[in-house]
Amino acid sequence: MTPERPNWLQYSLQYAKAGIESKVLKRKPIFLTVFVTSRCGLNCGHCFYREELLNGDIHKELKLWEYERFTKQSASFPKLILTGGEPFLRPDLADIVHLFYHNRSQSRQITIPTAGQHPDRIVALVKRSLRECPDLILEIQLSIDGVREQHDSIRGKGQFQNLMTTYHRLQPIQDQNERLRIRFNFTFSAESQDHFEMTYLFVTQTLRNPHFDMVLIRRSSADPAFFKPADMQKYRRATSLLQQQERQKSKGLLEEILAERAGVERNIIANHYEKQPTMLGCQAGTLTMILSEEGDVRPCEILDTVLGNIRETNYQLEPIWKGDRAKEHRKDIQQACYCTFETCVRTTMVFQPKWIFRSLQSFVHTKLGHHPH
């Protein structure tokens, strides 16, 4: 049976068109991250959302009817992340996916990060979403911090087994439908950095899953044990491994160029972590947006800036997105903001000619057998 495949070129063109419109008109973001809950059954030391997790209130979370009103009134969001907390603690998460896909929001690429604690709910959501949303590209992002006891030392006893149970139940679905992608995501910190290579080899060779990524620890709400700075030499070595992976799995010209873009992105992040300003003009608050579980609209996950709350605008985004606070934020962030938030760095560089050229340059060097650093 031939696996079902998405039309990546079509999605890329739609994304580029939406991005250009958003940059010019400032009418909406193209990359939306929605925190559907701050609740979580774990208490990981590296979690940047720890303060919200410890102080969250289920009664203050946006209800399903509120998401319905928001998605019916908002222009399309091509890329969407539904996160938390642990998003699968919400029994209506599949309904939220359904609303963002079918309503005016028209989300076609949806990512859901999870620690894999709830295999039954995860599998049920995947099956329903692929069945009811025929053009959806769905990514389930499984958080992994090491192999076996390494992972459990950060996530809690028995969590590695839960993660593996979830993966093995999803794997047959991914094998038959490329609209589902199971991506393992490693949080790179001083506590986990020595486990990176072993974890990478476990996922890509033992599990034979080619989708492996990492994020760099951020914000100061983490456990004090994680405050020690990450080793950037080890991070850059990890980046090289990931870059090899991206090149190996690329199929066709577009994917090969996108693979080089990933390497350029991680180099920018490493430079910013080392306090080396590299990329100006961050698009947080122009192309990217955060919606908190209580309805706050923010430009990104790192900044504490709140632009407004959708409950105060009858669930309309436009009054907030075109309001004075948003305009002031965009003016300020253009001048000096050098963050390590992967989503903002990636989205910004895609729409800046300098970084498009740098990615193309890396692509040419790779084709000629030279791998730039």
Side-chain angles (χ1 to χ4, degrees), residues 158-208:
Q159 293 310 314
F160 185 78
Q161 184 58 51
N162 287 338
L163 188 70
M164 290 300 99
T165 298
T166 298
Y167 172 69
H168 288 300
R169 290 185 62 184
L170 290 177
Q171 185 183 21
I173 305 174
Q174 178 181 243
D175 289 344
Q176 292 301 319
N177 194 332
E178 291 187 13
R179 290 195 295 116
L180 171 66
R181 174 168 293 181
I182 310 167
R183 184 182 297 277
F184 284 87
N185 198 40
F186 183 94
T187 301
F188 195 96
S189 69
E191 291 289 306
S192 66
Q193 60 194 16
D194 291 330
H195 305 154
F196 177 86
E197 186 168 352
M198 180 185 296
T199 309
Y200 168 80
L201 293 174
F202 173 78
V203 170
T204 58
Q205 295 187 13
T206 304
L207 297 183
R208 295 186 174 278

Side-chain angles (χ1 to χ4, degrees), residues 216-353:
L216 191 57
I217 188 171
R218 58 181 182 268
R219 276 181 60 165
S220 58
S221 57
D223 186 283
F226 289 80
F227 282 170
K228 183 180 176 182
D231 187 323
M232 282 296 100
Q233 287 188 334
K234 293 178 180 179
Y235 179 85
R236 291 181 189 276
R237 286 200 294 272
T239 291
S240 296
L241 272 178
L242 292 178
Q243 194 61 26
Q244 291 174 27
Q245 167 200 258
E246 293 296 328
R247 288 170 179 148
Q248 288 169 1
K249 70 180 184 181
S250 298
K251 301 173 184 176
L253 181 63
L254 178 62
E255 288 190 20
E256 289 178 0
I257 294 172
L258 290 176
E260 299 307 318
R261 184 217 65 199
V264 174
E265 170 200 325
R266 293 186 182 106
N267 187 58
I268 293 170
I269 290 168
N271 287 343
H272 286 181
Y273 191 83
E274 295 173 326
K275 309 298 183 186
Q276 300 177 39
T278 300
M279 187 176 73
L280 279 169
C282 180
Q283 295 297 300
T286 299
L287 298 180
T288 67
M289 169 187 144
I290 308 297
L291 181 65
S292 82
E293 66 279 358
E294 296 182 14
D296 284 338
V297 172
R298 293 165 46 197
C300 86
E301 291 181 359
I302 291 181
L303 298 177
D304 291 324
T305 306
V306 176
L307 305 179
N309 190 291
I310 61 171
R311 283 171 165 160
E312 298 170 358
T313 60
N314 197 26
Y315 305 96
Q316 297 179 64
L317 177 60
E318 189 170 350
I320 298 172
W321 208 243
K322 292 189 174 181
D324 291 340
R325 274 186 277 180
K327 291 176 182 176
E328 189 63 32
H329 159 76
R330 293 184 191 113
K331 180 181 175 181
D332 293 341
I333 201 172
Q334 291 291 319
Q335 301 176 22
C337 190
Y338 308 102
C339 79
T340 61
F341 178 29
E342 288 79 5
T343 296
C344 285
V345 171
R346 181 179 310 123
T347 307
T348 298
M349 63 180 289
V350 167
F351 294 96
Q352 288 188 347

